[in-house]
Amino acid sequence: MTVAKPASRPDVPHFSSGPCAKRPGWTPQNLKDAALGRSHRAKIGKTRLKLAIDLTREVLEIPADYRIGIVPASDTGAVEMALWSLLGPRPVTAIAWESFGEGWITDVVKQLKLKDVAKLTAGYGEIPDLAKADPASDIIFTWNGTTSGVRVPNADWISATREGLTICDATSAAFAQPLDWAKLDVVTFSWQKALGGEAAHGMLIVSPRAVARLESYTPPWPLPKIFRMTKGGKLIEGIFTGETINTPSMLCVEDYLDALNWAKSVGGLNGMIARADANAKVLSDWVAKTPWIDFLALDPAIRSNTSVCLKVVDSAITSLPSEAQADFAKKLVAAIEKEGAGYDFGYYRDAPPGLRIWCGATVEASNVALLTQWIDWAFAETKASLAKAA
Ligand SMILES: Cc1ncc(COP(=O)(O)O)c(C=O)c1O
């Protein structure tokens, strides 16, 4: 069956799951007030960094007693700082259902060499039994698994009276899904995801209980300078007021401020969540009427509204060897990229072959809808060329 080539392209064809699309209307002109060529420790720099922290608290509705720090090395840096600084005194429960969560398990087991680690894992498209997470242990998990499109349904499975800490990698959830702060002791994210900000800077948010651990526990392993949050057993408060550990990019800070102000202009957290939900709904409506595609996450309760992962379920494709299925998905995406109608929405390299379409708030629903038309076209074209080659 042939499908006519769509008449128009998304006006922004960016659907990458990171770095994600810039916010609608973004131009480099928005960064003209950046404190460039000035010290980040001068008043002007410190004021911009403090504003970034204050606006983060406002937009994400973070409790007043949680501390917010801007740290090096993006989300990865923030998670590593937390793991290396906090883990050791208690057993650990490490929960993973896709590549990034698996990566944190590797760190805990192979790098930190912790012995008392319970692993709760599930395959792509599924989630482990979260109720098995022991509240006496430190619990590490990813709120939204970016490579499988599976998120936790809520934080009800975390005990309000837990003895351990919860460490949550929320990079593809923050600004798109409600985070239950009372249940989270450490939350991390990077600017490049749901805000469409720039890469390389991480956010580390810590609860009073996490601070108490930092001030009462010294890990047995060495800590590089960029991980160190305490001095002489006391928290370095400056990190959480804008005195960053090392030099940040003030251009990226300005871009983050621009994104936060845009988030406020679309209704703050609820507005951002509603935009992501609306984008994801365009995809679920399309999946409902398109027989050859389905979600990797079959259960809507755990399905992401940001990194939406899809699989081809047409028997002509699923009957192929797995490399040929991967090749099919790659060719489909490449056909659309060649047309300039959609970029970077192929599956993550460790995930089952398919598509991954970013639906965070910086993407417009009208563009998601146009992309689905292009995918219909590319599917028919790619399948036809497969049949011809056979
Ligand atoms: C769940 C998750 N954790 C960690 C990362 C790594 O983020 P960064 O490259 O900002 O360090 C990503 C990036 O996609 C992610 O999706």
Side-chain angles (χ1 to χ4, degrees):
M1 196 186 75
T2 54
V3 173
K5 196 189 265 193
S8 50
R9 294 172 171 72
D11 53 17
V12 178
H14 296 177
F15 299 100
S16 152
S17 290
C20 302
K22 305 299 278 182
R23 58 108 165 155
W26 185 90
T27 87
Q29 267 307 103
N30 302 333
L31 312 184
K32 64 181 181 345
D33 293 336
L36 301 185
R38 294 292 311 274
S39 168
H40 61 297
R41 310 237 184 253
K43 190 162 176 240
I44 183 173
K46 273 208 256 185
T47 307
R48 298 312 272 169
L49 288 158
K50 174 73 169 44
L51 183 60
I53 289 172
D54 292 346
L55 282 177
T56 302
R57 189 183 305 282
E58 182 184 337
V59 177
L60 284 181
E61 301 172 10
I62 299 172
D65 58 352
Y66 279 48
R67 289 169 175 84
I68 304 171
I70 299 170
V71 301
S74 215
D75 179 66
T76 310
V79 176
E80 298 286 8
M81 263 177 106
L83 300 184
W84 287 69
S85 301
L86 293 165
L87 293 187
R90 284 187 171 272
V92 173
T93 304
I95 315 177
W97 53 92
E98 51 79 64
S99 177
F100 286 105
E102 291 288 349
W104 305 139
I105 294 187
T106 302
D107 267 26
V108 170
V109 175
K110 296 210 171 126
Q111 297 295 323
L112 295 178
K113 299 190 171 35
L114 294 180
K115 294 279 174 277
D116 198 353
V117 181
K119 292 178 228 167
L120 292 180
T121 58
Y124 279 84
E126 287 164 8
I127 202 158
D129 182 359
L130 299 170
K132 289 198 176 131
D134 178 2
S137 68
D138 292 329
I139 300 172
I140 302 155
F141 72 104
T142 301
W143 191 280
N144 181 83
T146 321
T147 66
S148 73
V150 171
R151 61 163 149 179
V152 293
N154 51 49
D156 296 355
W157 52 279
I158 298 172
S159 164
T161 55
R162 65 194 173 280
E163 293 162 64
L165 299 175
T166 47
I167 301 175
C168 173
D169 171 359
T171 198
S172 53
F175 301 98
Q177 298 166 13
L179 300 172
D180 187 344
W181 293 102
K183 298 290 185 73
L184 304 174
D185 295 302
V186 178
V187 173
T188 66
F189 67 90
S190 51
W191 300 345
Q192 47 125 344
K193 285 274 192 289
L195 286 180
E198 291 302 297
H201 298 78
M203 298 303 284
L204 179 72
I205 301 161
V206 286
S207 74
R209 295 180 67 245
V211 173
R213 169 78 64 85
L214 285 169
E215 293 191 327
S216 63
Y217 165 70
T218 306
W221 41 75
L223 278 184
K225 178 177 173 180
I226 57 166
F227 284 2
R228 288 202 290 269
M229 286 184 265
T230 57
K231 194 169 179 196
K234 292 302 287 174
L235 190 74
I236 305 172
E237 292 282 359
I239 296 175
F240 303 95
T241 59
E243 289 165 26
T244 52
I245 298 174
N246 65 338
T247 314
S249 157
M250 296 312 291
L251 195 61
C252 294
V253 170
E254 204 61 22
D255 187 64
Y256 182 52
L257 289 170
D258 172 72
L260 288 165
N261 281 317
W262 175 77
K264 279 177 68 173
S265 78
V266 298
L269 183 58
N270 285 338
M272 295 286 280
I273 293 172
R275 284 178 63 89
D277 283 347
N279 289 339
K281 182 170 184 307
V282 172
L283 288 183
S284 50
D285 291 348
W286 172 66
V287 169
K289 64 172 192 206
T290 308
W292 59 267
I293 192 107
D294 206 349
F295 292 102
L296 206 51
L298 293 179
D299 177 359
I302 57 165
R303 192 179 293 153
S304 177
N305 63 349
T306 56
S307 58
V308 179
C309 295
L310 301 157
K311 60 186 175 189
V312 175
V313 292
D314 183 303
S315 60
I317 312 302
T318 55
S319 58
L320 298 171
S322 57
E323 301 89 83
Q325 291 186 43
D327 194 46
F328 183 86
K330 284 179 193 157
K331 281 192 174 134
L332 188 158
V333 172
I336 296 171
E337 292 203 350
K338 199 167 154 218
E339 294 285 341
Y343 297 128
D344 310 323
F345 62 96
Y347 65 99
Y348 188 77
R349 57 182 185 264
D350 298 342
L355 311 177
R356 180 177 59 163
I357 301 170
W358 184 258
C359 284
T362 58
V363 172
E364 300 275 22
S366 55
N367 286 331
V368 181
L370 281 170
L371 179 69
T372 62
Q373 295 177 16
W374 283 90
I375 299 174
D376 283 333
W377 166 79
F379 175 75
E381 293 285 306
T382 315
K383 195 173 161 185
S385 62
L386 198 73
K388 221 185 276 168

